[in-house]
Amino acid sequence: MPEPSDQFRGSVDAEIDPSAARLSSAPDVDQPRIERAVREILAAVGEDPDREGLKETPARVARMYAELFAGLHEDPRKHLQKFFTEKYDEMVLVRDISFNSTCEHHLLPFMGKAHVGYVPAGRVLGLSKLARVVDVVARRPQVQERMTETIANLLMEELEAKGVAVVIEATHACMTIRGIRKPGSLCVTSAMKGIFRSNLSSRSEVMNLIYGGSRSL
Ligand SMILES: [Zn+2]
């Protein structure tokens, strides 16, 4: 059987996030194909895919994957094109951006919060756009480490910022409901670019703002 990737061309986005390698020109998610596959899984685990309770399941799962992976067919850069020019050159931080993503190793959810900060060099972004970028990147088969890097690189490139800091905290269903089964474990990843990488006090400042005493949510 040919790989699904045969049908698709890559895109510029693939350079930043290989999980998006089949992006853009893919017309849509091939839902009938998912339905066939889900029927196969049900049969393989010893279920009867035709019993009443499971009849609609393949179609439902297909729609679910189309939703969960919608970010494969979207370029997050589109949310980074409308910035305004401001002299402001202090840090901007949006904390606690909640997200859901899907671990590409197990196709199970991982979910949590992203904290995204940057120091502008003239280009300032509408605050909701940071959350939109997180959303698009999350809606792909992902690993948390790459998700963190991808968001940071996108902001560095599109905003030409002096620095970008991304910290993501998430719980992974593949760690809590199967395998090692450690509910409550939190995976934290960070990507520091520009001034946040080179300057220790900038880095401490952003970490203090993320984790500091002002936290009241
Ligand atoms: Zn996993």
Side-chain angles (χ1 to χ4, degrees):
M1 195 180 282
E3 287 292 306
S5 58
D6 294 349
Q7 304 164 19
F8 308 138
R9 284 201 328 262
S11 85
V12 279
D13 209 36
E15 290 162 24
I16 275 192
D17 186 349
S19 69
R22 303 173 209 148
L23 188 122
S24 72
S25 53
D28 208 344
V29 172
D30 185 347
Q31 293 193 30
R33 190 170 184 172
I34 299 174
E35 289 182 37
R36 292 196 295 277
V38 172
R39 263 189 77 85
E40 274 304 300
I41 292 172
L42 287 169
V45 299
E47 261 291 3
D48 169 13
D50 291 316
R51 79 171 165 82
E52 201 187 341
L54 292 176
K55 258 194 182 144
E56 298 297 319
T57 298
R60 225 180 267 121
V61 173
R63 287 195 296 275
M64 178 190 75
Y65 277 127
E67 186 183 336
L68 292 181
F69 297 144
L72 276 176
H73 309 289
E74 238 186 282
D75 188 341
R77 282 187 187 79
K78 80 176 182 199
H79 299 299
L80 297 171
Q81 303 310 310
K82 266 200 193 156
F83 44 79
F84 38 99
T85 313
E86 275 292 339
K87 280 235 157 83
Y88 189 77
D89 63 356
E90 297 293 327
M91 187 194 317
V92 180
L93 171 70
V94 179
R95 212 168 65 176
D96 296 325
I97 303 169
S98 60
F99 72 91
N100 300 301
S101 188
T102 307
C103 144
E104 69 182 25
H105 300 141
H106 300 93
L107 295 185
L108 283 172
F110 66 96
M111 51 188 71
K113 288 182 170 169
H115 316 287
V116 181
Y118 69 104
V119 176
R123 296 180 174 182
V124 176
L125 200 65
L127 295 177
S128 67
K129 305 296 183 198
L130 294 173
R132 296 215 182 277
V133 170
V134 169
D135 231 37
V136 174
V137 176
R139 287 174 178 273
R140 298 170 176 179
Q142 271 297 4
V143 294
Q144 185 178 329
E145 295 87 338
R146 188 175 68 233
M147 182 178 156
T148 312
E149 274 294 310
T150 299
I151 294 167
N153 287 335
L154 279 165
L155 291 173
M156 261 325 253
E157 287 173 18
E158 298 298 316
L159 294 181
E160 295 171 0
K162 286 184 188 155
V164 173
V166 179
V167 176
I168 295 182
E169 307 169 280
T171 55
H172 290 243
C174 62
M175 293 246 329
T176 58
I177 67 167
R178 59 155 292 286
I180 193 161
R181 293 194 198 185
K182 294 293 173 207
S185 59
L186 197 65
C187 178
V188 182
T189 48
S190 73
M192 300 286 157
K193 308 287 175 189
I195 193 172
F196 290 112
R197 190 176 193 93
S198 57
N199 184 320
L200 189 61
S201 68
S202 299
R203 193 189 309 202
S204 320
E205 188 189 352
V206 73
M207 292 313 265
N208 275 334
L209 283 171
I210 292 172
Y211 291 110
S214 63
R215 191 152 199 176
S216 59
L217 288 177

